[in-house]
Amino acid sequence: MKDYDESTAFLGQWGRFQQVVFFLLCASIVPNGLGAFSVVFLTDIPRHHCLIPEENLTQDWRDAIIPIEVVNGKREQSRCSRYRLDVVRNLSAQGFIPGRDVNLTDLEQEGCVDGWSYSKDIYQSTLVSEFDLVCSDQWKQPFTATACFLGYLVGSFISGQLSDRFGRKPVFFTTMAVQTTFSFCQAFSPSWTVFTILIFFNGFGQISNYVSGFVLGTEILTGDVRVIFSSMGVCMGYAIGYMILPLVAFFLRDWKSLLLAISLPGVLYIPFWWFIPESPRWLLSQGRVEEAEAIVRKAAKTNRVEAPTVIFKDYSAHDDDPQEHLNVISLVKTQSVRSTTVILCLVWFSLSIGYYGLSLNTSRLHADPYISCFLSAAAEVPAYMSCWLALKYFPRRLSVICILLLGGASLFLIQLVPETLSELAVALEMLGKLVITSGTALIYAYTAELYPTVLRNTAEGVCITVSRIGSCLAPFLLQLRESFEYLPYIILGTLAVVSAFAALYLPESFGKPLPQTIQQMQKRESMKCPCITRK
């Protein structure tokens, strides 16, 4: 049996067929970039304080009714308390002057029983101001992002198996519809609870669409084009959406309008169904040789090349075991596959918690959230370009190890920077973000190259599921800086270095064809990992 790449070599690598698939799949990822960090604007917390009802108070008492607190060395108005309104009303009526006739520290305080007043300097409204996610309900604000990441986690796990079972194309378009529909419905949420449920399913659709589209592209495209697609193409589509997000949010400062603007472009992708085919590799793995040949012959016609009489000669769809159904359990059945899976899960986890931790932390780089978001997004462009160069010219294993070590070193060095050189600390943090982003893009391609067709999407799904645990933990990891400012950086750096040494035991896939069967995967050489026992 010929290898798939050899059997379809007559098509060439960059004909009209490949160009259409390449650009349409890249374009389909743009909404993912728009939606991924929209939660930064949707759930941002405007400046706020207790609402003061229309009362007959003097201007002096109206200015003084909110207590002053010291937060991080700065004096600011209390966000969750005020002096008792009935007491202040009586003092105002008697003509007393706050601070001169009355010592304010002696006055009793109360909570914001009449609600809150929110600043509109930056936003017209956010989810926080709409549903009062402050003070005793402030935990709901970070949990909103966590709900989206939990959707990512479930989608990563389920979509991979669905795609391996029912095909790349149906799952790709179905989850795209899920993403668009639930993103649209979020704008009409009557309560925070409803919004949280909807954002969970939105996250499910986002990651499922991304993974299915990524695998579909890596299986249809071949050679250098596949490398460009997996390292730069699909990632640049994501980065373009990410960079457009702050621009859209700048002009639409109401959370409902922003959600509608993010969701509606999904409708534009409906015609893509007639231009993006099913993966011939997947069809062959299911024994549907005639359908695979029909797609390849149509591609040959599009590229204006002549196809051979028989394209997939003596192709066996089940070289593994015709009686065995391959699923997630197959990833841990044998020692070599199990070692690869465990190490990849560790690497994915470290890169994900680093990527989301540093991305969420970039809001501290600048007082303007729109500029902060754009800087974070812009850093991804050189990251993806460097990833493409690494995939094109360097071994995969060496690239992953170097990326993890460089990222870990930059994060470790931040704590050594004097406070007077804050720009250097920011530069190191952005270097860490750039390097880890590059590693996140590279690991997608590396994982896809290591696993056979019958397990590829399931393996990607499992690895991404583990990585989403890291993304769910990232917001809580950042809270550790309340105990020690540099503790998040130390933890992220340690994870990166440990993962770099574990990656030494991964097989190399550089310059090798994609494996079709588990037997082909097991033939690839790698160092034996002593931490994972042989079964």
Side-chain angles (χ1 to χ4, degrees):
M1 179 190 74
K2 281 186 178 181
D3 175 76
Y4 175 87
D5 290 349
E6 294 179 6
S7 300
T8 59
F10 67 90
L11 287 175
Q13 293 187 11
W14 193 236
R16 188 173 183 82
F17 169 76
Q18 289 92 343
Q19 292 169 10
V20 170
V21 171
F22 183 98
F23 288 113
L24 291 187
L25 285 177
C26 290
S28 72
I29 303 300
V30 172
N32 295 72
L34 274 169
F37 288 102
S38 61
V39 69
V40 171
F41 300 106
L42 296 174
T43 64
D44 202 4
I45 304 177
R47 290 187 297 108
H48 58 278
H49 58 74
C50 291
L51 178 66
I52 309 303
E54 293 295 331
E55 296 283 348
N56 188 21
L57 300 177
T58 64
Q59 188 60 45
D60 288 337
W61 278 106
R62 186 169 291 278
D63 294 338
I65 193 172
I66 304 297
I68 301 299
E69 299 177 345
V70 177
V71 180
N72 294 325
K74 298 180 180 179
R75 292 169 58 84
E76 61 181 41
Q77 288 184 320
S78 173
R79 297 182 175 187
C80 299
S81 63
R82 69 184 185 189
Y83 295 118
R84 282 187 54 179
L85 184 60
D86 57 341
V87 174
V88 171
R89 187 189 301 114
N90 291 335
L91 293 172
S92 176
Q94 297 176 41
F96 290 107
I97 305 299
R100 188 190 72 181
D101 303 324
V102 178
N103 186 353
L104 294 177
T105 57
D106 294 336
L107 297 182
E108 185 180 351
Q109 298 183 16
E110 63 182 358
C112 300
V113 294
D114 295 307
W116 290 263
S117 175
Y118 296 92
S119 169
K120 294 189 177 182
D121 292 345
I122 299 178
Y123 307 103
Q124 288 298 311
S125 68
T126 68
L127 201 69
V128 172
S129 62
E130 182 78 15
F131 299 118
D132 290 332
L133 308 183
V134 293
C135 299
S136 61
D137 284 337
Q138 187 170 348
W139 64 272
K140 295 180 180 180
Q141 185 263 348
F143 186 80
T144 305
T146 300
C148 182
F149 292 143
L150 288 173
Y152 280 22
L153 190 153
V154 175
S156 302
F157 184 75
I158 295 179
S159 65
Q161 298 183 69
L162 291 176
S163 184
D164 281 341
R165 177 69 65 88
F166 300 108
R168 309 332 190 192
K169 182 178 177 179
V171 173
F172 173 67
F173 282 97
T174 299
T175 52
M176 185 184 295
V178 169
Q179 174 186 347
T180 301
T181 301
F182 281 94
S183 181
F184 179 82
C185 292
Q186 281 177 252
F188 304 97
S189 301
S191 66
W192 173 80
T193 302
V194 173
F195 184 93
T196 304
I197 295 172
L198 293 175
I199 201 173
F200 170 86
F201 287 103
N202 184 11
F204 173 90
Q206 279 189 42
I207 193 61
S208 301
N209 165 29
Y210 186 93
V211 174
S212 300
F214 179 87
V215 173
L216 183 58
T218 57
E219 292 186 346
I220 292 178
L221 303 172
T222 59
D224 292 339
V225 177
R226 182 175 67 216
V227 173
I228 295 174
F229 172 81
S230 59
S231 59
M232 267 212 318
V234 68
C235 298
M236 282 298 185
Y238 179 89
I240 289 172
Y242 192 179
M243 287 189 289
I244 292 174
L245 172 63
L247 178 64
V248 176
F250 180 82
F251 290 103
L252 300 175
R253 304 201 175 197
D254 171 76
W255 68 277
K256 293 185 178 182
S257 300
L258 179 59
L259 275 172
L260 291 176
I262 290 173
S263 62
L264 291 179
V267 179
L268 301 176
Y269 296 103
I270 295 176
F272 285 23
W273 174 270
W274 289 276
F275 296 96
I276 298 177
E278 179 58 273
S279 165
R281 291 181 188 268
W282 179 81
L283 290 171
L284 290 172
S285 72
Q286 303 300 305
R288 296 158 63 175
V289 180
E290 292 182 0
E291 294 178 57
E293 286 208 0
I295 291 175
V296 175
R297 291 188 187 281
K298 185 177 180 180
K301 184 178 180 180
T302 303
N303 288 355
R304 297 181 180 179
V305 298
E306 186 175 348
T309 305
V310 179
I311 300 176
F312 302 110
K313 186 177 181 180
D314 300 327
Y315 194 94
S316 175
H318 300 285
D319 283 349
D320 291 308
D321 184 350
Q323 302 302 319
E324 180 184 18
H325 173 64
L326 298 178
N327 53 31
V328 67
I329 303 300
S330 304
L331 296 174
V332 294
K333 274 189 175 180
T334 61
Q335 190 272 337
S336 59
V337 179
R338 180 168 61 248
S339 297
T340 299
T341 301
V342 171
I343 295 172
L344 282 175
C345 285
L346 174 62
V347 174
W348 276 82
F349 177 86
S350 301
L351 290 171
S352 180
I353 194 172
Y355 174 77
Y356 282 96
L358 295 175
S359 295
L360 295 174
N361 198 46
T362 50
S363 60
R364 302 174 63 198
L365 296 178
H366 197 280
D368 190 322
Y370 304 103
I371 293 178
S372 298
C373 183
F374 182 80
L375 289 175
S376 179
E380 304 207 355
V381 175
Y384 297 139
M385 294 179 66
S386 62
C387 173
W388 169 68
L389 292 173
L391 286 172
K392 185 172 177 63
Y393 297 108
F394 299 102
R396 309 292 190 250
R397 180 170 53 198
L398 176 63
S399 299
V400 169
I401 292 172
C402 291
I403 283 172
L404 289 167
L405 289 177
L406 179 58
S410 64
L411 295 177
F412 277 131
L413 290 174
I414 290 176
Q415 61 186 311
L416 303 179
V417 178
E419 292 185 5
T420 55
L421 298 176
S422 58
E423 294 83 0
L424 178 57
V426 171
L428 287 172
E429 183 168 343
M430 292 307 295
L431 174 62
K433 167 72 189 305
L434 187 152
V435 172
I436 289 178
T437 300
S438 179
T440 302
L442 189 149
I443 201 65
Y444 270 93
Y446 191 16
T447 303
E449 292 176 350
L450 288 179
Y451 287 92
T453 303
V454 290
L455 275 177
R456 187 169 296 118
N457 220 53
T458 296
E460 289 271 4
V462 168
C463 289
I464 295 175
T465 299
V466 175
S467 77
R468 294 311 165 191
I469 297 176
S471 64
C472 290
L473 294 176
F476 301 99
L477 176 70
L478 296 178
Q479 298 301 315
L480 295 178
R481 62 171 172 254
E482 301 296 330
S483 302
F484 177 53
E485 183 179 0
Y486 300 109
L487 185 56
Y489 299 119
I490 294 173
I491 293 175
L492 293 177
T494 301
L495 281 172
V497 172
V498 170
S499 298
F501 283 103
L504 287 169
Y505 299 98
L506 289 173
E508 183 54 71
S509 62
F510 181 58
K512 300 178 181 179
L514 293 179
Q516 301 293 328
T517 66
I518 287 183
Q519 283 78 8
Q520 292 177 2
M521 177 184 177
Q522 291 174 329
K523 289 179 181 178
R524 292 185 171 176
E525 295 182 0
S526 63
M527 295 173 60
K528 302 300 181 184
C529 182
C531 301
I532 304 174
T533 58
R534 182 183 301 274
K535 182 176 178 180

